[in-house]
Amino acid sequence: MIKKLTLTALLTASTLYADTIIGGEISLGMYSHSPSGSASYTLPFELSNPAVDIEDDLGWDTEQDIIFKAYFEHPVPLFPNVKVAYSSLSHSGQGTVEGFSWGGIIGLNGEIDTSLDTQMYDLTLYYELLDNVVEIDAGLTLRYLDGDIAVRTLANFDLPLLPSLSAELINESTNFDLWIPMLYGKARFNIPSTDISLQLEANAISYEETTFYDYELSVRYTLAMGLGLEGGYKSIHLDSEDLYDGLVLDMDSAGPYAAVVWNF
């Protein structure tokens, strides 16, 4: 009997110890986002091009992209927990414009094809401030932003200010990549006696000529063995003149998202 009790105690202790060594969460989902805002691109030493509407002029509309997040937590005092994340933000469209200017395309009348392709990679170090019915995390995110905005002229177009270029198609591709530090915070409320939780998670920074933030408002239902379903609303705001020389972007992209979650 004593041997059985001892073995049971050791197994229980090792299980508890394993649970406190490391834990975390992984989620994978899809984000449906609709854009709004404006953008402009001016070549060096040229007169400033006016801003264009990203919906009406660039033709961007609702798109779907992947979102991935992974959290790794441990019991070691003073050492922060780690979160890594990836998300993409893409848009494309076509439109007919008048007096359109973008980079070396000046005063265009005709049809254009446009696209935005952006990748965001996050490394977040954070601490748990509360871990009960209410959970609160806070820390810092280092985000790598890698993107490209392309504008291409199509057939049947006219450049009144540069008629010599009207005979050939013109492409303007603007690539940008930079590291951006951001404040990070997350608050979760676990509704007692249920498998439902409510969550707000956000990153934000504002400095000089850049304001960049994103947030998620979500509801989660945990099924079994740590597996759950999560759905909510995600929003991204980027207002910056520092992405690339001559590029000014003031853009919002927001909409619903859904994800599968595993808490281990």
Side-chain angles (χ1 to χ4, degrees):
M1 183 67 178
I2 294 176
K3 290 182 178 180
K4 289 182 178 180
L5 290 174
T6 302
L7 179 60
T8 301
L10 289 173
L11 289 173
T12 302
S14 65
T15 301
L16 290 173
Y17 180 73
D19 285 343
T20 57
I21 289 177
I22 189 169
E25 179 180 298
I26 297 175
S27 70
L28 179 65
M30 292 292 293
Y31 166 41
S32 179
H33 48 92
S34 301
S36 62
S38 62
S40 67
Y41 176 49
T42 303
L43 294 179
F45 313 113
E46 300 288 341
L47 295 176
S48 295
N49 285 330
V52 298
D53 188 280
I54 63 177
E55 294 176 274
D56 297 337
D57 297 317
L58 300 183
W60 295 352
D61 203 350
T62 302
E63 299 282 355
Q64 291 75 43
D65 281 299
I66 293 175
I67 50 176
F68 169 80
K69 296 185 291 185
Y71 307 78
F72 301 96
E73 299 183 347
H74 59 81
V76 181
L78 301 180
F79 283 85
N81 300 303
V82 178
K83 171 193 171 187
V84 293
Y86 165 81
S87 60
S88 56
L89 186 66
S90 59
H91 288 287
S92 62
Q94 292 185 353
T96 301
V97 294
E98 293 184 3
F100 176 88
S101 296
W102 183 272
I105 303 172
I106 307 295
L108 171 69
N109 298 323
E111 298 179 0
I112 57 172
D113 179 88
T114 70
S115 65
L116 167 71
D117 183 14
T118 306
Q119 317 297 318
M120 290 181 285
Y121 304 87
D122 288 3
L123 173 62
T124 302
L125 304 179
Y126 69 94
Y127 293 95
E128 287 186 319
L129 304 183
L130 286 177
D131 187 15
N132 208 312
V133 174
V134 177
E135 301 176 26
I136 297 179
D137 298 339
L140 294 173
T141 292
L142 184 61
R143 172 168 295 172
Y144 178 62
L145 189 66
D146 182 16
D148 173 77
I149 299 177
V151 176
R152 297 168 288 274
T153 59
L154 300 177
N156 303 318
F157 72 93
D158 179 44
L159 289 170
L161 299 180
L162 298 169
S164 61
L165 297 180
S166 297
E168 57 181 294
L169 301 182
I170 303 173
N171 297 331
E172 280 286 358
S173 182
T174 309
N175 300 296
F176 54 89
D177 64 284
L178 67 162
W179 293 92
I180 302 177
M182 309 177 78
L183 297 176
Y184 168 79
K186 183 175 73 171
R188 178 184 295 172
F189 174 59
N190 301 302
I191 301 177
S193 303
T194 74
D195 295 315
I196 299 174
S197 60
L198 309 176
Q199 181 172 289
L200 167 64
E201 186 171 27
N203 298 278
I205 190 69
S206 184
Y207 64 94
E208 294 181 354
E209 298 177 334
T210 295
T211 298
F212 192 13
Y213 64 77
D214 63 88
Y215 66 86
E216 296 174 6
L217 288 168
S218 62
V219 179
R220 178 182 300 181
Y221 179 70
T222 302
L223 301 171
M225 300 179 64
L227 292 175
L229 300 175
E230 183 176 290
Y233 179 83
K234 180 178 177 68
S235 179
I236 299 174
H237 173 79
L238 176 57
D239 181 0
S240 180
E241 299 180 15
D242 291 331
L243 299 178
Y244 188 82
D245 288 344
L247 177 64
V248 178
L249 184 63
D250 184 0
M251 175 182 174
D252 289 278
S253 195
Y257 82 92
V260 177
V261 182
W262 178 41
N263 191 298
F264 58 89

